[in-house]
């Protein structure tokens, strides 16, 4: 374990007397915690301290406790911890293990602790500390990149995505957010169309497995935001953002899309206008996705490329009725759910083969039941009939399989069928955050604790401001007996 006082030279230049007080207090904090965790203080190097421990978990807990105690100092510390081979000679320690720990300390966030992957793998299952993956970092005089993690408990600094990218030396766009679309018509009655097209583009981008695409729930908070693109991107943990405007006239629609990269500096990458008849709207979404993924160099599988080259036409009347149904469904009030059901019914009356409207009707009946507006005995036949109808019409609707998964698990108690349905939903849409969150709940039921934590943490990455997912995360951690981490959520 290596520790260092941030900016100690500057502190010494400004007030030598105060700097010495800080140094003495810092030494006392270290000695207390190194002894507490059965470590060995090897040496002091100015304002830096090196210590050795028998087990990586003791070193990590010691680093955490030192940082917590150091909050009483008028400065911040950086700490690095590595687990590896060393040579002990003449009361000193040498080797790559020492070098890596020192390099991790030098790049840690002020007030933070960076640990190597070796430490993380050795302690993760026995340690109740919350960690954040920093990424693979090239360290000076170290032959191979080192995967690093930072302590992410309460009161510890968060390593920003921008800084992670800088540390990794990467400018690749791997995570993207589509901000709420803006209407150019000035007509409030067209908000259903604007919101629906926003949701549709997110869904189409979400089918690309190599991209992490932020869910609509978390992007909606930026509808009227005055934050810069870089600030929004940092809050959402993405490398690029998409903005778009929508204008509809009769059965024609125009969207103007721009792509802004925010790694290192804010950079406008691309802009394009698309004019289509509403019947060709699905083909338009696919074209936008192809253009965006092409500009950022996203890797597409052959199946994803083939899917983007195909698009059915839609009946404009059915599609608009469906978008109106989705607009009212999201409000979850009794009158809005009734209105939503009317629009979904209108959509299937216009086009009986329009699968999304059937899963919409199933969702409305489910919502009415869950909110206590309709007796379950009345609702369940409608839910099952419409859900299975949507699957019969279109085997590639992830929402249908997610809905079937929740019914299988929490209504039919058929965990095997639910498991397979969750897998199918996430195969179609790898970025379907809600499926990941509920799948984590099933995995906990099945005793698959590590997989459950992985899925719920992935869901939160995709939808970081979703309070329901935060609650489910706490539940998963509690069932996995990670009590301290659960309390911190």
């Amino acid at each position: 374990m290596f520790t260092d006082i941030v900016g100690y030279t500057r502190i010494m230049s400004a007030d030598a007397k105060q700097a010495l007080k800080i140094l003495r207090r810092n030494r006392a904090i270290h000695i207390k915690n190194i002894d507490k965790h059965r470590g060995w203080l090897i040496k002091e190097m100015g304002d830096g301290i090196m210590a050795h421990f028998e087990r990586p978990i003791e070193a990590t807990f010691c680093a955490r406790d030192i940082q917590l105690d150091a909050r009483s100092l008028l400065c911040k510390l950086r700490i690095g911890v590595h687990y590896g081979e060393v040579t002990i000679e003449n009361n000193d320690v040498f080797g790559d293990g020492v070098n890596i720990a020192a390099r991790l300390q030098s790049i840690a966030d002020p007030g933070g602790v960076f640990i190597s992957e070796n430490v993380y793998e050795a302690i993760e299952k026995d340690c109740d500390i919350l960690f954040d993956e920093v990424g693979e970092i090239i360290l000076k005089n170290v032959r191979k990149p080192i995967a690093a993690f930072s302590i992410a408990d309460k009161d510890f600094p968060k390593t920003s995505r921008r800084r992670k990218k800088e540390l990794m030396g990467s400018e690749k766009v791997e995570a993207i957010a589509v901000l709420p679309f803006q209407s150019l018509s000035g007509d409030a009655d067209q908000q259903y169309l604007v919101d629906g097209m926003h949701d549709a583009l997110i869904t189409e981008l979400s089918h690309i497995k190599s991209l992490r695409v932020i869910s609509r729930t978390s992007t909606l908070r930026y509808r009227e935001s005055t934050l810069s693109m870089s600030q929004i991107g940092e809050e959402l943990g993405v490398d690029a953002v998409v903005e778009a405007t929508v204008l509809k006239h009769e059965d024609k629609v125009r969207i103007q899309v721009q792509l802004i990269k925010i790694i290192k500096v804010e950079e406008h990458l691309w802009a394009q206008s698309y004019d289509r008849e509403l019947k060709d709207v699905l083909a338009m979404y696919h074209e936008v996705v192809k253009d965006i993924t092409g500009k950022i160099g996203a890797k597409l599988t052959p199946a994803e490329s083939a899917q983007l080259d195909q698009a059915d036409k839609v009946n404009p009347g059915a599609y608009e009725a469906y978008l109106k149904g989705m607009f009212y469904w999201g409000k979850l009030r009794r009158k809005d759910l009734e209105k939503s059901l009317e629009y979904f019914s209108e959509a299937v009356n216009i086009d009986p083969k329009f699968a999304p409207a059937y899963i919409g009707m199933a969702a409305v009946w489910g919502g009415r039941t869950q909110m206590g507006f309709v007796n379950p005995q009345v609702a369940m036949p409608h839910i099952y009939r419409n859900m299975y109808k949507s699957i019969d019409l279109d085997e590639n609707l992830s929402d249908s399989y997610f809905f079937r998964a929740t019914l299988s698990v929490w209504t039919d108690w058929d965990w095997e069928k639910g498991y397979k349905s969750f897998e199918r939903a996430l195969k179609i849409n790898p970025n379907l955050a809600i499926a990941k969150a509920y799948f984590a709940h099933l995995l906990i039921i099945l005793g698959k604790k590590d997989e459950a934590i992985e899925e719920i943490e992935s869901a939160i990455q995709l939808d970081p401001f979703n309070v329901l997912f935060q609650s489910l995360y706490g539940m998963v951690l509690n069932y996995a007996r990670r009590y301290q981490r659960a309390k911190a959520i």
Side-chain angles (χ1 to χ4, degrees), residues 84-111:
E85 293 292 332
V86 295
T87 300
I88 301 176
E89 187 174 315
N90 296 326
N91 291 323
D92 207 346
V93 180
F94 307 91
D96 280 348
V98 175
N99 187 35
I100 291 171
R103 296 301 179 190
L104 287 172
Q105 171 267 307
S106 69
I107 62 170
D109 296 308

PDB file of all heavy atoms in Angstrom, residues 84-111:
ATOM      1  N   GLY A  84       0.923  -8.634  -5.187  1.00  0.00           N
ATOM      2  CA  GLY A  84       1.814  -9.320  -6.116  1.00  0.00           C
ATOM      3  C   GLY A  84       3.116  -9.722  -5.462  1.00  0.00           C
ATOM      4  O   GLY A  84       3.330  -9.501  -4.267  1.00  0.00           O
ATOM      5  N   GLU A  85       3.989 -10.303  -6.266  1.00  0.00           N
ATOM      6  CA  GLU A  85       5.277 -10.794  -5.779  1.00  0.00           C
ATOM      7  C   GLU A  85       6.206  -9.636  -5.425  1.00  0.00           C
ATOM      8  O   GLU A  85       6.316  -8.665  -6.174  1.00  0.00           O
ATOM      9  CB  GLU A  85       5.948 -11.663  -6.845  1.00  0.00           C
ATOM     10  CG  GLU A  85       5.223 -12.966  -7.124  1.00  0.00           C
ATOM     11  CD  GLU A  85       5.283 -13.936  -5.965  1.00  0.00           C
ATOM     12  OE1 GLU A  85       6.270 -13.867  -5.200  1.00  0.00           O
ATOM     13  OE2 GLU A  85       4.346 -14.739  -5.801  1.00  0.00           O
ATOM     14  N   VAL A  86       6.866  -9.740  -4.286  1.00  0.00           N
ATOM     15  CA  VAL A  86       7.856  -8.742  -3.881  1.00  0.00           C
ATOM     16  C   VAL A  86       9.047  -9.455  -3.242  1.00  0.00           C
ATOM     17  O   VAL A  86       8.964 -10.624  -2.863  1.00  0.00           O
ATOM     18  CB  VAL A  86       7.286  -7.721  -2.859  1.00  0.00           C
ATOM     19  CG1 VAL A  86       6.182  -6.882  -3.477  1.00  0.00           C
ATOM     20  CG2 VAL A  86       6.793  -8.423  -1.593  1.00  0.00           C
ATOM     21  N   THR A  87      10.135  -8.735  -3.136  1.00  0.00           N
ATOM     22  CA  THR A  87      11.324  -9.227  -2.447  1.00  0.00           C
ATOM     23  C   THR A  87      11.581  -8.347  -1.234  1.00  0.00           C
ATOM     24  O   THR A  87      11.596  -7.107  -1.350  1.00  0.00           O
ATOM     25  CB  THR A  87      12.551  -9.181  -3.374  1.00  0.00           C
ATOM     26  OG1 THR A  87      12.302 -10.006  -4.512  1.00  0.00           O
ATOM     27  CG2 THR A  87      13.791  -9.668  -2.649  1.00  0.00           C
ATOM     28  N   ILE A  88      11.744  -8.968  -0.071  1.00  0.00           N
ATOM     29  CA  ILE A  88      12.009  -8.222   1.162  1.00  0.00           C
ATOM     30  C   ILE A  88      13.484  -8.385   1.514  1.00  0.00           C
ATOM     31  O   ILE A  88      13.980  -9.505   1.628  1.00  0.00           O
ATOM     32  CB  ILE A  88      11.118  -8.716   2.313  1.00  0.00           C
ATOM     33  CG1 ILE A  88       9.643  -8.557   1.941  1.00  0.00           C
ATOM     34  CG2 ILE A  88      11.438  -7.962   3.600  1.00  0.00           C
ATOM     35  CD1 ILE A  88       8.687  -9.115   2.980  1.00  0.00           C
ATOM     36  N   GLU A  89      14.180  -7.268   1.641  1.00  0.00           N
ATOM     37  CA  GLU A  89      15.614  -7.299   1.937  1.00  0.00           C
ATOM     38  C   GLU A  89      16.003  -6.056   2.724  1.00  0.00           C
ATOM     39  O   GLU A  89      15.634  -4.936   2.332  1.00  0.00           O
ATOM     40  CB  GLU A  89      16.407  -7.364   0.627  1.00  0.00           C
ATOM     41  CG  GLU A  89      17.902  -7.566   0.831  1.00  0.00           C
ATOM     42  CD  GLU A  89      18.620  -7.759  -0.498  1.00  0.00           C
ATOM     43  OE1 GLU A  89      18.116  -8.524  -1.347  1.00  0.00           O
ATOM     44  OE2 GLU A  89      19.661  -7.116  -0.679  1.00  0.00           O
ATOM     45  N   ASN A  90      16.724  -6.251   3.810  1.00  0.00           N
ATOM     46  CA  ASN A  90      17.181  -5.131   4.642  1.00  0.00           C
ATOM     47  C   ASN A  90      16.025  -4.217   5.062  1.00  0.00           C
ATOM     48  O   ASN A  90      16.110  -2.987   4.947  1.00  0.00           O
ATOM     49  CB  ASN A  90      18.258  -4.326   3.911  1.00  0.00           C
ATOM     50  CG  ASN A  90      19.505  -5.145   3.654  1.00  0.00           C
ATOM     51  OD1 ASN A  90      19.867  -6.008   4.463  1.00  0.00           O
ATOM     52  ND2 ASN A  90      20.152  -4.905   2.512  1.00  0.00           N
ATOM     53  N   ASN A  91      14.947  -4.839   5.504  1.00  0.00           N
ATOM     54  CA  ASN A  91      13.766  -4.094   5.954  1.00  0.00           C
ATOM     55  C   ASN A  91      13.180  -3.190   4.870  1.00  0.00           C
ATOM     56  O   ASN A  91      12.577  -2.158   5.164  1.00  0.00           O
ATOM     57  CB  ASN A  91      14.091  -3.261   7.201  1.00  0.00           C
ATOM     58  CG  ASN A  91      14.346  -4.132   8.406  1.00  0.00           C
ATOM     59  OD1 ASN A  91      13.698  -5.162   8.578  1.00  0.00           O
ATOM     60  ND2 ASN A  91      15.301  -3.737   9.236  1.00  0.00           N
ATOM     61  N   ASP A  92      13.373  -3.563   3.623  1.00  0.00           N
ATOM     62  CA  ASP A  92      12.788  -2.822   2.510  1.00  0.00           C
ATOM     63  C   ASP A  92      12.134  -3.816   1.559  1.00  0.00           C
ATOM     64  O   ASP A  92      12.370  -5.028   1.644  1.00  0.00           O
ATOM     65  CB  ASP A  92      13.861  -2.004   1.786  1.00  0.00           C
ATOM     66  CG  ASP A  92      13.282  -0.775   1.096  1.00  0.00           C
ATOM     67  OD1 ASP A  92      12.035  -0.709   0.947  1.00  0.00           O
ATOM     68  OD2 ASP A  92      14.056   0.127   0.723  1.00  0.00           O
ATOM     69  N   VAL A  93      11.301  -3.322   0.681  1.00  0.00           N
ATOM     70  CA  VAL A  93      10.558  -4.182  -0.234  1.00  0.00           C
ATOM     71  C   VAL A  93      10.807  -3.719  -1.667  1.00  0.00           C
ATOM     72  O   VAL A  93      10.781  -2.517  -1.957  1.00  0.00           O
ATOM     73  CB  VAL A  93       9.038  -4.145   0.071  1.00  0.00           C
ATOM     74  CG1 VAL A  93       8.274  -5.037  -0.893  1.00  0.00           C
ATOM     75  CG2 VAL A  93       8.786  -4.587   1.501  1.00  0.00           C
ATOM     76  N   PHE A  94      11.014  -4.682  -2.589  1.00  0.00           N
ATOM     77  CA  PHE A  94      11.310  -4.373  -3.978  1.00  0.00           C
ATOM     78  C   PHE A  94      10.446  -5.255  -4.886  1.00  0.00           C
ATOM     79  O   PHE A  94       9.910  -6.269  -4.461  1.00  0.00           O
ATOM     80  CB  PHE A  94      12.791  -4.636  -4.286  1.00  0.00           C
ATOM     81  CG  PHE A  94      13.748  -3.952  -3.354  1.00  0.00           C
ATOM     82  CD1 PHE A  94      14.183  -4.602  -2.198  1.00  0.00           C
ATOM     83  CD2 PHE A  94      14.202  -2.674  -3.609  1.00  0.00           C
ATOM     84  CE1 PHE A  94      15.062  -3.983  -1.328  1.00  0.00           C
ATOM     85  CE2 PHE A  94      15.074  -2.040  -2.747  1.00  0.00           C
ATOM     86  CZ  PHE A  94      15.514  -2.698  -1.609  1.00  0.00           C
ATOM     87  N   GLY A  95      10.365  -4.860  -6.159  1.00  0.00           N
ATOM     88  CA  GLY A  95       9.681  -5.691  -7.146  1.00  0.00           C
ATOM     89  C   GLY A  95       8.546  -4.974  -7.851  1.00  0.00           C
ATOM     90  O   GLY A  95       8.188  -3.837  -7.524  1.00  0.00           O
ATOM     91  N   ASP A  96       7.954  -5.683  -8.866  1.00  0.00           N
ATOM     92  CA  ASP A  96       6.852  -5.110  -9.634  1.00  0.00           C
ATOM     93  C   ASP A  96       5.663  -4.775  -8.749  1.00  0.00           C
ATOM     94  O   ASP A  96       4.933  -3.811  -9.004  1.00  0.00           O
ATOM     95  CB  ASP A  96       6.400  -6.086 -10.731  1.00  0.00           C
ATOM     96  CG  ASP A  96       7.316  -6.043 -11.948  1.00  0.00           C
ATOM     97  OD1 ASP A  96       8.134  -5.105 -12.018  1.00  0.00           O
ATOM     98  OD2 ASP A  96       7.211  -6.941 -12.795  1.00  0.00           O
ATOM     99  N   GLY A  97       5.429  -5.582  -7.725  1.00  0.00           N
ATOM    100  CA  GLY A  97       4.308  -5.312  -6.828  1.00  0.00           C
ATOM    101  C   GLY A  97       4.404  -3.941  -6.201  1.00  0.00           C
ATOM    102  O   GLY A  97       3.408  -3.220  -6.082  1.00  0.00           O
ATOM    103  N   VAL A  98       5.614  -3.555  -5.814  1.00  0.00           N
ATOM    104  CA  VAL A  98       5.834  -2.237  -5.222  1.00  0.00           C
ATOM    105  C   VAL A  98       5.608  -1.148  -6.266  1.00  0.00           C
ATOM    106  O   VAL A  98       4.941  -0.137  -6.018  1.00  0.00           O
ATOM    107  CB  VAL A  98       7.266  -2.144  -4.652  1.00  0.00           C
ATOM    108  CG1 VAL A  98       7.551  -0.737  -4.140  1.00  0.00           C
ATOM    109  CG2 VAL A  98       7.459  -3.157  -3.547  1.00  0.00           C
ATOM    110  N   ASN A  99       6.175  -1.365  -7.454  1.00  0.00           N
ATOM    111  CA  ASN A  99       6.072  -0.360  -8.520  1.00  0.00           C
ATOM    112  C   ASN A  99       4.624  -0.108  -8.911  1.00  0.00           C
ATOM    113  O   ASN A  99       4.194   1.039  -9.075  1.00  0.00           O
ATOM    114  CB  ASN A  99       6.880  -0.824  -9.736  1.00  0.00           C
ATOM    115  CG  ASN A  99       6.972   0.239 -10.813  1.00  0.00           C
ATOM    116  OD1 ASN A  99       7.048   1.431 -10.517  1.00  0.00           O
ATOM    117  ND2 ASN A  99       6.959  -0.189 -12.058  1.00  0.00           N
ATOM    118  N   ILE A 100       3.835  -1.178  -9.046  1.00  0.00           N
ATOM    119  CA  ILE A 100       2.431  -1.029  -9.460  1.00  0.00           C
ATOM    120  C   ILE A 100       1.625  -0.289  -8.397  1.00  0.00           C
ATOM    121  O   ILE A 100       0.822   0.597  -8.707  1.00  0.00           O
ATOM    122  CB  ILE A 100       1.818  -2.406  -9.773  1.00  0.00           C
ATOM    123  CG1 ILE A 100       2.449  -2.967 -11.052  1.00  0.00           C
ATOM    124  CG2 ILE A 100       0.301  -2.309  -9.926  1.00  0.00           C
ATOM    125  CD1 ILE A 100       2.087  -4.410 -11.344  1.00  0.00           C
ATOM    126  N   ALA A 101       1.840  -0.645  -7.127  1.00  0.00           N
ATOM    127  CA  ALA A 101       1.129   0.059  -6.049  1.00  0.00           C
ATOM    128  C   ALA A 101       1.459   1.539  -6.062  1.00  0.00           C
ATOM    129  O   ALA A 101       0.587   2.401  -5.892  1.00  0.00           O
ATOM    130  CB  ALA A 101       1.487  -0.556  -4.695  1.00  0.00           C
ATOM    131  N   ALA A 102       2.740   1.871  -6.281  1.00  0.00           N
ATOM    132  CA  ALA A 102       3.158   3.269  -6.316  1.00  0.00           C
ATOM    133  C   ALA A 102       2.526   4.008  -7.484  1.00  0.00           C
ATOM    134  O   ALA A 102       2.090   5.161  -7.351  1.00  0.00           O
ATOM    135  CB  ALA A 102       4.682   3.354  -6.395  1.00  0.00           C
ATOM    136  N   ARG A 103       2.455   3.354  -8.643  1.00  0.00           N
ATOM    137  CA  ARG A 103       1.862   4.001  -9.826  1.00  0.00           C
ATOM    138  C   ARG A 103       0.346   4.196  -9.651  1.00  0.00           C
ATOM    139  O   ARG A 103      -0.207   5.201 -10.071  1.00  0.00           O
ATOM    140  CB  ARG A 103       2.138   3.158 -11.076  1.00  0.00           C
ATOM    141  CG  ARG A 103       3.609   3.029 -11.435  1.00  0.00           C
ATOM    142  CD  ARG A 103       4.266   4.363 -11.672  1.00  0.00           C
ATOM    143  NE  ARG A 103       5.682   4.205 -11.990  1.00  0.00           N
ATOM    144  CZ  ARG A 103       6.541   5.214 -12.057  1.00  0.00           C
ATOM    145  NH1 ARG A 103       6.125   6.444 -11.802  1.00  0.00           N
ATOM    146  NH2 ARG A 103       7.808   4.998 -12.349  1.00  0.00           N
ATOM    147  N   LEU A 104      -0.311   3.208  -9.040  1.00  0.00           N
ATOM    148  CA  LEU A 104      -1.746   3.359  -8.781  1.00  0.00           C
ATOM    149  C   LEU A 104      -2.005   4.518  -7.828  1.00  0.00           C
ATOM    150  O   LEU A 104      -2.955   5.292  -8.008  1.00  0.00           O
ATOM    151  CB  LEU A 104      -2.324   2.066  -8.198  1.00  0.00           C
ATOM    152  CG  LEU A 104      -2.489   0.892  -9.167  1.00  0.00           C
ATOM    153  CD1 LEU A 104      -2.887  -0.362  -8.401  1.00  0.00           C
ATOM    154  CD2 LEU A 104      -3.526   1.212 -10.235  1.00  0.00           C
ATOM    155  N   GLN A 105      -1.141   4.651  -6.823  1.00  0.00           N
ATOM    156  CA  GLN A 105      -1.282   5.781  -5.896  1.00  0.00           C
ATOM    157  C   GLN A 105      -1.157   7.108  -6.631  1.00  0.00           C
ATOM    158  O   GLN A 105      -1.903   8.050  -6.378  1.00  0.00           O
ATOM    159  CB  GLN A 105      -0.229   5.671  -4.785  1.00  0.00           C
ATOM    160  CG  GLN A 105      -0.113   6.879  -3.877  1.00  0.00           C
ATOM    161  CD  GLN A 105       0.959   7.837  -4.364  1.00  0.00           C
ATOM    162  OE1 GLN A 105       2.096   7.448  -4.586  1.00  0.00           O
ATOM    163  NE2 GLN A 105       0.604   9.092  -4.538  1.00  0.00           N
ATOM    164  N   SER A 106      -0.237   7.189  -7.568  1.00  0.00           N
ATOM    165  CA  SER A 106       0.031   8.466  -8.242  1.00  0.00           C
ATOM    166  C   SER A 106      -1.121   8.942  -9.115  1.00  0.00           C
ATOM    167  O   SER A 106      -1.238  10.136  -9.398  1.00  0.00           O
ATOM    168  CB  SER A 106       1.305   8.349  -9.084  1.00  0.00           C
ATOM    169  OG  SER A 106       1.104   7.495 -10.201  1.00  0.00           O
ATOM    170  N   ILE A 107      -1.985   7.999  -9.565  1.00  0.00           N
ATOM    171  CA  ILE A 107      -3.096   8.393 -10.435  1.00  0.00           C
ATOM    172  C   ILE A 107      -4.449   8.349  -9.734  1.00  0.00           C
ATOM    173  O   ILE A 107      -5.479   8.683 -10.332  1.00  0.00           O
ATOM    174  CB  ILE A 107      -3.160   7.503 -11.692  1.00  0.00           C
ATOM    175  CG1 ILE A 107      -3.420   6.046 -11.302  1.00  0.00           C
ATOM    176  CG2 ILE A 107      -1.900   7.645 -12.535  1.00  0.00           C
ATOM    177  CD1 ILE A 107      -3.724   5.143 -12.481  1.00  0.00           C
ATOM    178  N   ALA A 108      -4.466   7.929  -8.456  1.00  0.00           N
ATOM    179  CA  ALA A 108      -5.739   7.856  -7.731  1.00  0.00           C
ATOM    180  C   ALA A 108      -6.347   9.246  -7.571  1.00  0.00           C
ATOM    181  O   ALA A 108      -5.634  10.262  -7.567  1.00  0.00           O
ATOM    182  CB  ALA A 108      -5.517   7.215  -6.359  1.00  0.00           C
ATOM    183  N   ASP A 109      -7.673   9.281  -7.444  1.00  0.00           N
ATOM    184  CA  ASP A 109      -8.346  10.556  -7.213  1.00  0.00           C
ATOM    185  C   ASP A 109      -7.990  11.080  -5.827  1.00  0.00           C
ATOM    186  O   ASP A 109      -7.849  10.298  -4.883  1.00  0.00           O
ATOM    187  CB  ASP A 109      -9.870  10.372  -7.293  1.00  0.00           C
ATOM    188  CG  ASP A 109     -10.322   9.936  -8.671  1.00  0.00           C
ATOM    189  OD1 ASP A 109      -9.952  10.596  -9.645  1.00  0.00           O
ATOM    190  OD2 ASP A 109     -11.035   8.921  -8.766  1.00  0.00           O
ATOM    191  N   PRO A 110      -7.845  12.390  -5.670  1.00  0.00           N
ATOM    192  CA  PRO A 110      -7.626  12.940  -4.327  1.00  0.00           C
ATOM    193  C   PRO A 110      -8.747  12.500  -3.378  1.00  0.00           C
ATOM    194  O   PRO A 110      -9.927  12.653  -3.687  1.00  0.00           O
ATOM    195  CB  PRO A 110      -7.668  14.456  -4.573  1.00  0.00           C
ATOM    196  CG  PRO A 110      -7.224  14.613  -5.993  1.00  0.00           C
ATOM    197  CD  PRO A 110      -7.807  13.428  -6.709  1.00  0.00           C
ATOM    198  N   GLY A 111      -8.369  11.911  -2.251  1.00  0.00           N
ATOM    199  CA  GLY A 111      -9.352  11.369  -1.323  1.00  0.00           C
ATOM    200  C   GLY A 111      -9.790   9.961  -1.660  1.00  0.00           C
ATOM    201  O   GLY A 111     -10.649   9.394  -0.984  1.00  0.00           O
TER     202      GLY A 111
END
